[in-house]
Structures are given as C-alpha cells and as structure tokens.
Amino acid sequence: MSLFPADIVEQAQRIITDFTARGLMVATAESCTGGLIAGALTEISGSSAVVDRGFVTYTNKAKMDMLGVTDATLATHGAVSKETALQMVHGALFRSQAAMAVAVTGIAGPGGGSVDKPVGLVHLAAKSRSGKILHREMRYGDIGRTEVRLATVRTALAMLAEAADRDDIQA
C-alpha cells in the first residue's frame, strides 16, 4: 500500500532507478505541495541513494531564508511566479549536494486565487548543475486542493526525468 496513486509511484520508481544507475542526487524546493514531491520519491525503497534533501518553504520568509529568493522578486512578481520558481530551484540546487533540483510554487486552493493568479496556477522549475533549466507554468484549474497538489507532483517528476534526459548528465 502506498500513500500515493499508482501512477505517481511508477514515476518515482523510474526516477529512483534511473538516477541511482547514473549516480545522480536530487533536491526539492516545495511550497504548494508541502513536501509531497520528496515524499513520493522517498516512498521508493533505495531512494536514499537519490534524494539529498527537500526544502518546504511555504512562507515568503522561508523562501528567502532557506533558498535565497530575494525580497525584490517577491515584492515585484509575488510568491507564485516564474521568477520565484527559478530562484527557488537555484537555491535548492546550490544549497545541496544534488546534481538536479525541482521547485514548485502555486495556488492549490480552494482560496487564495485572483483574476491574474487563479486557483490551480503553479510555476515549476527544474535545473541541473550544468545550468540547464526548465520552467513550466501550469493552469490545472480549480479541480480541488488535493488534485492540484497531486497534478503538481506528477508534473514535477516528469520535469526531473526530462531535465535529466536533456542534460544526459552523470555524477
């Protein structure tokens, strides 16, 4: 029995198997998912060879203190923005021993949305030490808090796999 749906467990298993074979470690920086990405990865036996650390940075202060997101970025673009996701992923990567990192920030709902930033808006970023970076702006819609969070985990895991394939990196 798993805490996660079967498709997420399968995604996580593929990442753990592939990254273990390649000697790659991962760090996560999570806001709206509250640690679920790291949780999905650590659901897999042997994940200690891959998961270096996870940062759960729900508040703006935590994003600044733990990941180095700047006050200016938060003031100008807000916590849920491409700019914040990019700073989060950079901070996670360079405050860890990981070869790759993934970061997510969004509005899971049911409240907190606006016309410009509706419920279901999530910014995700993945980055490797070579400097290659992926960004996705997802608009999952107001599908419910749990579903937004699980959809974000699925996208984040897919981005980790894609970033590793694009980079073709080895430890």
Side-chain angles (χ1 to χ4, degrees):
M1 183 173 146
S2 173
L3 295 171
F4 297 92
D7 66 309
I8 290 176
V9 173
E10 290 167 13
Q11 276 185 292
Q13 179 65 65
R14 284 192 301 273
I15 288 170
I16 297 301
T17 300
D18 179 44
F19 283 33
T20 298
R22 294 165 70 177
L24 301 177
M25 293 198 85
V26 172
T28 65
E30 304 182 58
S31 187
C32 63
T33 50
L36 291 176
I37 300 163
L41 291 169
T42 59
E43 186 78 2
I44 308 304
S45 178
S47 59
S48 61
V50 173
V51 179
D52 178 54
R53 65 193 73 189
F55 300 88
V56 176
T57 56
Y58 217 68
T59 66
N60 286 350
K61 182 162 177 29
K63 288 174 183 67
M64 292 186 293
D65 291 350
M66 295 175 70
L67 299 172
V69 175
T70 66
D71 185 51
T73 294
L74 293 166
T76 303
H77 304 285
V80 180
S81 65
K82 175 181 181 177
E83 294 79 6
T84 296
L86 293 175
Q87 286 188 0
M88 287 173 67
V89 78
H90 180 82
L93 188 60
F94 291 100
R95 287 170 169 79
S96 72
Q97 300 301 308
M100 303 197 74
V102 65
V104 300
T105 183
I107 304 165
S114 67
V115 173
D116 292 338
K117 295 184 180 185
V119 169
L121 171 65
V122 180
H123 284 273
L124 303 95
K127 184 175 183 174
S128 70
R129 289 215 176 252
S130 72
K132 292 189 179 175
I133 193 159
L134 296 173
H135 167 262
R136 296 234 166 83
E137 176 183 309
M138 303 301 293
R139 292 180 180 262
Y140 300 112
D142 192 355
I143 58 175
R145 184 175 183 81
T146 298
E147 290 308 313
V148 168
R149 290 166 48 126
L150 290 174
T152 302
V153 171
R154 288 179 180 100
T155 304
L157 293 176
M159 287 176 70
L160 274 175
E162 181 184 342
D165 288 345
R166 277 189 180 186
D167 216 26
D168 195 30
I169 55 176
Q170 302 287 330

